[in-house]
Amino acid sequence: MQPNKLLLEAIALRKCIMATYNRTAFKLAPHILYTRHDDLFVDAVTLERDGRRPREIKLGAFKLAGLSELALTAQTFQPEALFDPAAERYVETTVFAVEP
């Protein structure tokens, strides 16, 4: 499955994904797919990094071209309160976002 199609499905169904980014394995809860400088990015909450939970919950930006080994998981997520789909950075750049 193409990465952007997989991410659209993950966002729509609120399912986590597994991916490798900078040679590090991540479990992510993708919240929004958007463009920046003609490149696709996904902002997601990191649930695991190399199998360990992060110290704090935060929304990170991942360039789609840098993600590899993407796989949809059965684990679902609830949108994080810290995610604001109306934030200025997403204005006129949003491809698809999780519904609150």
Side-chain angles (χ1 to χ4, degrees):
M1 187 180 293
Q2 294 178 346
N4 53 348
K5 186 177 178 184
L6 185 138
L7 282 168
L8 291 172
E9 183 177 343
I11 292 167
L13 299 175
R14 295 182 181 180
K15 289 196 172 187
C16 298
I17 61 166
M18 294 298 296
T20 300
Y21 194 75
N22 292 332
R23 294 181 281 181
T24 303
F26 286 90
K27 183 188 286 185
L28 302 171
H31 281 56
I32 189 167
L33 184 65
Y34 63 100
T35 60
R36 187 183 331 153
H37 307 296
D38 296 324
D39 289 317
L40 282 171
F41 284 80
V42 61
D43 280 7
V45 174
T46 300
L47 302 175
E48 290 181 12
R49 182 178 178 160
D50 280 336
R52 291 184 227 112
R53 296 183 70 66
R55 282 183 249 133
E56 65 180 280
I57 294 175
K58 63 182 181 176
L59 201 63
F62 298 86
K63 189 173 183 178
L64 198 63
L67 291 170
S68 62
E69 302 175 39
L70 271 79
L72 200 60
T73 72
Q75 181 180 346
T76 59
F77 67 90
Q78 292 299 315
E80 285 294 330
L82 56 96
F83 172 63
D84 178 10
E88 187 175 328
R89 68 186 274 147
Y90 304 130
V91 173
E92 296 185 19
T93 65
T94 299
V95 175
F96 193 62
V98 70
E99 293 289 325

